[in-house]
Amino acid sequence: MFRIVNKRELNSMVTLLEIEAPFVAKKAQAGQFIIFRVDEFSERVPLTIADYDREKGTVTIIFQKVGLSTKLLAAKEIGDSIQDFVGPLGVATEYDGMKKVAVVGGGVGCAIAYPQAKALHELGVEVDVIAGFRNKDIVILEDEMRAVATNYYLMTDDGTQGEKGFVTDKLKSLIEAGNNYDAVIAIGPIPMMKFVSLTTKPFGIKTIVSLNPIMIDGTGMCGGCRVTVGGKIKFACVDGPDFDGHEVDFDELMNRNSIYKAREAELTETHICRMDKLANELIK
Amino acid sequence: MANMSLEKIKMPEQAPDVRNKNFEEVALGYTAEMAVEEAQRCLSCKHKPCVSGCPVNVRIPEFIAEVAKGDFMAAYKVITSTNALPAVCGRVCPQESQCESKCVRGIKGEAVAIGRLERFVADWYMKNCDEMPEKPASNGKKVAVIGSGPSSLACAGDLAKQGYEVTMFEAFHKAGGVLVYGIPEFRLPKGIVQKEIDKLSALGVNIMTNMVIGKVLSIDEIIEDMGFDAVFVGTGAGLPSFMGIPGEALVGVYSANEYLTRINLMKAYLSEYDTPIRNSKAVAVVGGGNVAMDAARCAKRMGAEHVYIVYRRSEKEMPARLEEIHHAKEEGIEFHLLRNPVKILDNGNGQVCGIECLKMELGEPDASGRRSPVPVEGSNYVIDVDTVVMSIGTSPNPLIRSTTKGLETNRKGCLVVNEETNQTTREGVYAGGDAVTGAATVILAMGAGKKAATAIDEYLKQK
């Protein structure tokens, strides 16, 4: 069993849990993920690691309540335990040769963009963070991001906080203003990652996306997380979760992630529709 | 006087049209009377050909003689002196190509039902006098066993009995490996596997689930930082293969591993579990092995109206056990033989709506000695299905070999071991089961685990 030692509601939909998992904490690196299972009857669900404390032996996860399992997890309180917590899985993000990087986070994706920004900052890399949210009520991790970012740009769809517009607008203007990014790391909803990749492609900027397909074991055994990257089948659990955004077949991934959609909340659905709108605008 | 009946005593079974709607065990097992009567068919041959057909050399005529006398306890002791998992082996061993294939009674008529008798004895013991073993005094030496499938269970059990402090690392949340995620409940009840695991715990084996070795710990850390004196790698062959045909990324295409894991380990067939699985009406399972039969029979039990086996050779070449093919047919699985999928069709919404196959003919024998299938040009046709399960084989997981220095593998990714000792190319690190052989049988894996346990014991005694 894995005990919850800290809990914070970051907004009405997003929860932070700090969980005692000394073996995982000892090895975790930015970009890797864990799989949790709340109790004997629950699904196994992958979540990217948001933070870790090797001395305390804890791992922090930040997640949105979108389905049954995440709702069950969010209902746990400090002192409660969950059945299973396995990791660190996947390959850690590679930062070789990066001097200046734009980290783009969308919604709850900021939870995973944050450890990337932090790791880069600690390596002495110049980090511009672009964080996007629907509105001011769901902004998360602003203080944490500001602490590690050289520049922090907050975007909201409705302009209720920060600048009005999408992360891709900001990214494009920063690139056009002459910022020479060695890489862009984009983490958020699939459509966001797709359009960040489309935005950077004409500029030839290396773009890393972190994929979160459906999976069971996280060790390469089920093949459920297979994604097409550069025309080849890859298993996100062992070959990823980071991939070259210019090579990923995002539409296929979106389709594959829809398999158990009927069981999930409509929330994600409305979000995807909104991103479709963004898509159309970008293509124009 | 031996019972000279040419046929085995029939195994009582659930009726096909009943069992294909539930997950309870298909074969119900012999009664004591049936077992005694079947045991009397054994001629107690002096040269014991059957024993040579058993990968763990169970002293078959000896245990059968005890069954014939009605001394089931004595029979159990004979079996378990060389086989730690008789309830498992009695159910899933391919006896027809092992012990029973050597049986003299098989020359004219059917072989003695060695497997059924083994199962009877194991079940009898479990029901009547199942006591937990006691933890032996520790010899102070620590062995790490990676994986918890058949080879690891056998290795851990043998070492624990000799006083080694064994820690078993399992990546999943439950121990048992392929016995719990792969083989379905109706062929191997999970309660039986759990009992074997409980016995290991009683022997003092420390079972750590949720530990993906190669990620959370490396083999070097296990040896150097955690002070283990030897390591056994029994991580199986879990990496699923796909065909590389168009449409394999559509919603509704599973690997057999994923499909079976959702059903067996994650209990998608029980309503109290949250595990999602596709609600399929028609399923094509591609492949002809035991795993394909398991997947097809699971699909039927999950409520699919039509379940097809699509296999590129003929029934004769199928690697599945005859009994499994027979059971599958009885349960209404439809066989499309000499058919090879070329494409999985999209319903327009990214979901499977059919599988396009090509008819095949048998040509010359290939390297495996089986006649290789040759496509018949222009013979394409479509089977309407909403789900496809790919069951065309697996290969060993690269996690350990890619994170451990000095472990040699062959070109298929299997660990290279010394055949006498099962030691890998690294001192103190042993391996066995599918991780070494590629996908094979439970009993071969068990045999390898036992062999490694003996070698580890010798190595650590000298150390």
Side-chain angles (χ1 to χ4, degrees):
Chain A
M1 298 291 270
F2 298 82
R3 206 165 61 94
I4 295 165
V5 295
N6 194 10
K7 177 177 181 177
R8 254 198 311 153
E9 302 288 351
L10 300 188
N11 65 38
S12 63
M13 291 308 296
V14 176
T15 307
L16 173 152
L17 290 180
E18 187 181 348
I19 293 174
E20 244 172 26
F23 280 107
V24 186
K26 204 173 158 199
K27 280 292 180 71
Q29 285 177 279
Q32 290 188 298
F33 68 96
I34 57 93
I35 288 179
F36 75 87
R37 199 172 71 123
V38 177
D39 59 37
E40 171 57 27
F41 304 103
S42 303
E43 296 172 78
R44 293 170 62 95
V45 180
L47 282 178
T48 306
I49 293 166
D51 206 352
Y52 49 82
D53 186 326
R54 300 207 202 282
E55 275 165 32
K56 272 167 77 186
T58 60
V59 174
T60 300
I61 48 175
I62 297 175
F63 57 95
Q64 192 160 359
K65 289 168 263 186
V66 285
L68 189 58
S69 295
T70 42
K71 281 175 191 153
L72 279 173
L73 183 62
K76 296 284 175 189
E77 299 298 338
I78 294 173
D80 289 348
S81 291
I82 59 170
Q83 189 86 25
D84 301 293
F85 194 83
V86 55
L89 300 165
V91 182
T93 308
E94 304 250 3
Y95 303 117
D96 287 356
M98 295 184 190
K99 292 193 178 62
K100 183 171 180 170
V101 174
V103 173
V104 183
V108 72
C110 286
I112 312 152
Y114 168 64
Q116 301 278 3
K118 187 177 156 197
L120 286 163
H121 174 71
E122 283 165 5
L123 287 169
V125 177
E126 198 181 323
V127 187
D128 284 354
V129 172
I130 308 168
F133 301 92
R134 263 201 317 281
N135 58 51
K136 68 176 170 47
D137 298 332
I138 57 167
V139 173
I140 58 168
L141 300 176
E142 185 178 350
D143 295 342
E144 288 85 346
M145 286 288 206
R146 282 189 189 281
V148 295
T150 311
N151 297 294
Y152 175 80
Y153 305 96
L154 176 62
M155 309 293 293
T156 51
D157 296 2
D158 61 0
T160 47
Q161 194 176 341
E163 267 181 69
K164 184 176 188 321
F166 294 123
V167 290
T168 40
D169 304 335
K170 188 62 177 182
L171 179 63
K172 197 166 180 224
S173 68
L174 286 171
I175 296 170
E176 283 171 348
N179 285 287
N180 276 323
Y181 295 118
D182 300 308
V184 171
I185 299 177
I187 302 166
I190 300 169
M192 185 210 90
M193 294 191 283
K194 174 179 170 179
F195 290 106
V196 166
S197 301
L198 285 176
T199 304
T200 56
K201 198 164 183 184
F203 300 98
I205 302 170
K206 177 178 176 177
T207 301
I208 301 168
V209 294
S210 175
L211 306 183
N212 193 10
I214 294 169
M215 62 177 76
I216 303 182
D217 58 300
T219 65
M221 175 266 194
C222 80
C225 68
R226 60 192 188 277
V227 287
T228 304
V229 181
K232 293 199 176 72
I233 294 182
K234 297 279 179 189
F235 289 177
C237 64
V238 287
D239 300 321
D242 287 353
F243 290 103
D244 178 347
H246 297 151
E247 299 281 336
V248 172
D249 186 338
F250 289 104
D251 294 340
E252 177 189 287
L253 173 62
M254 217 169 338
N255 180 50
R256 286 189 60 75
N257 272 6
S258 74
I259 175 165
Y260 305 117
K261 207 167 171 183
R263 296 171 63 101
E264 299 296 345
E266 281 76 55
L267 188 96
T268 37
E269 178 116 32
T270 54
H271 195 62
I272 284 166
C273 292
R274 197 175 56 78
M275 292 308 295
D276 275 344
K277 234 167 63 194
L278 158 68
N280 294 332
E281 282 164 23
L282 253 170
I283 287 162
K284 268 186 262 165
Chain B
M1 178 60 200
N3 167 359
M4 291 314 289
S5 163
L6 291 181
E7 284 169 12
K8 294 176 180 176
I9 303 274
K10 281 213 171 352
M11 179 63 122
E13 287 173 349
Q14 280 195 71
D17 59 343
V18 173
R19 69 177 192 242
N20 67 10
K21 295 171 192 71
N22 69 51
F23 274 83
E24 280 152 45
E25 200 170 10
V26 168
L28 303 171
Y30 279 169
T31 61
E33 293 72 26
M34 289 169 165
V36 170
E37 197 182 338
E38 179 63 25
Q40 286 167 348
R41 292 185 63 228
C42 176
L43 302 176
S44 295
C45 310
K46 284 275 178 302
H47 64 303
K48 303 171 189 162
C50 48
V51 177
S52 68
C54 174
V56 296
N57 299 110
V58 170
R59 301 200 304 279
I60 294 164
E62 238 177 279
F63 99 75
I64 292 183
E66 299 296 352
V67 175
K69 280 191 266 173
D71 190 346
F72 306 137
M73 186 59 150
Y76 182 79
K77 287 190 175 147
V78 173
I79 297 175
T80 50
S81 68
T82 61
N83 181 356
L85 307 172
V88 174
C89 294
R91 286 173 167 82
V92 304
C93 264
Q95 292 98 6
E96 67 281 358
S97 57
Q98 298 182 349
C99 52
E100 292 181 20
S101 74
K102 315 268 181 181
C103 179
V104 170
R105 295 298 306 265
I107 298 166
K108 193 181 167 196
E110 289 183 334
V112 173
I114 301 168
R116 294 173 186 176
L117 290 172
E118 181 183 37
R119 169 186 161 154
F120 166 79
V121 170
D123 288 0
W124 175 88
Y125 181 82
M126 231 181 260
K127 199 168 148 201
N128 292 287
C129 42
D130 205 10
E131 52 191 54
M132 281 292 154
E134 275 183 34
K135 183 177 183 298
S138 166
N139 67 11
K141 289 184 176 155
K142 287 168 71 180
V143 181
V145 171
I146 304 171
S148 64
S151 71
S152 298
L153 292 177
C155 187
D158 277 13
L159 289 169
K161 280 179 205 155
Q162 296 174 77
Y164 288 96
E165 288 178 20
V166 180
T167 298
M168 185 180 253
F169 296 101
E170 164 57 40
F172 263 129
H173 55 261
K174 202 171 179 57
V178 73
L179 305 177
V180 298
Y181 77 71
I183 304 177
E185 176 79 17
F186 56 82
R187 220 150 64 75
L188 178 63
K190 300 310 142 211
I192 288 174
V193 183
Q194 191 53 49
K195 218 150 210 179
E196 298 302 343
I197 311 259
D198 292 345
K199 275 189 205 162
L200 287 187
S201 300
L203 282 168
V205 175
N206 174 26
I207 298 170
M208 293 183 75
T209 53
N210 294 317
M211 295 294 276
V212 180
I213 304 304
K215 283 290 172 193
V216 72
L217 289 171
S218 67
I219 287 192
D220 294 276
E221 286 168 318
I222 288 173
I223 296 170
E224 282 152 30
D225 303 350
M226 299 176 81
F228 282 90
D229 300 290
V231 178
F232 174 78
V233 181
T235 47
L239 226 62
S241 304
F242 289 91
M243 292 187 74
I245 57 174
E248 271 182 313
L250 291 171
V251 165
V253 182
Y254 289 100
S255 71
N257 266 1
E258 179 180 2
Y259 193 68
L260 289 171
T261 301
R262 285 185 181 278
I263 294 171
N264 299 323
L265 177 73
M266 308 284 299
K267 310 269 179 245
Y269 65 94
L270 297 175
S271 60
E272 62 266 37
Y273 282 77
D274 300 337
T275 312
I277 196 158
R278 199 164 160 80
N279 185 8
S280 312
K281 294 271 173 290
V283 181
V285 177
V286 180
N290 287 321
V291 175
M293 298 305 137
D294 284 346
R297 296 170 72 193
C298 280
K300 194 78 184 175
R301 283 162 173 77
M302 294 301 292
E305 287 158 29
H306 291 282
V307 181
Y308 308 97
I309 287 281
V310 179
Y311 180 55
R312 65 201 184 105
R313 305 184 200 239
S314 75
E315 187 169 325
K316 219 174 78 194
E317 286 82 20
M318 275 196 168
R321 294 184 65 194
L322 275 181
E323 184 180 306
E324 305 309 330
I325 296 170
H326 171 71
H327 277 151
K329 283 185 175 170
E330 278 188 339
E331 289 168 13
I333 310 299
E334 299 155 61
F335 284 59
H336 284 234
L337 301 172
L338 286 164
R339 302 289 186 267
N340 201 32
V342 289
K343 190 181 180 185
I344 300 166
L345 307 177
D346 186 338
N347 72 350
N349 286 318
Q351 308 222 355
V352 173
C353 70
I355 184 165
E356 185 179 321
C357 300
L358 199 57
K359 295 185 182 171
M360 311 290 276
E361 284 172 347
L362 284 183
E364 296 300 310
D366 64 9
S368 72
R370 296 179 298 181
R371 293 178 65 190
S372 53
V374 184
V376 180
E377 291 307 320
S379 62
N380 303 46
Y381 71 108
V382 171
I383 313 174
D384 294 332
V385 292
D386 54 34
T387 304
V388 173
V389 180
M390 285 293 170
S391 179
I392 54 167
T394 53
S395 55
N397 197 308
L399 265 183
I400 300 252
R401 66 172 192 257
S402 64
T403 54
T404 311
K405 280 198 196 100
L407 276 191
E408 267 178 44
T409 52
N410 68 15
R411 110 197 120 73
K412 287 181 174 165
C414 302
L415 292 169
V416 173
V417 297
N418 173 324
E419 283 187 22
E420 301 295 311
T421 61
N422 272 48
Q423 184 180 294
T424 63
T425 48
R426 240 185 98 159
E427 192 192 320
V429 180
Y430 296 74
D434 287 2
V436 169
T437 56
T441 61
V442 168
I443 187 72
L444 275 175
M446 274 185 49
K450 288 182 82 71
K451 196 155 91 177
T454 307
I456 290 170
D457 179 44
E458 278 165 22
Y459 165 71
L460 291 180
K461 271 183 186 153
Q462 285 166 15
K463 205 179 167 186

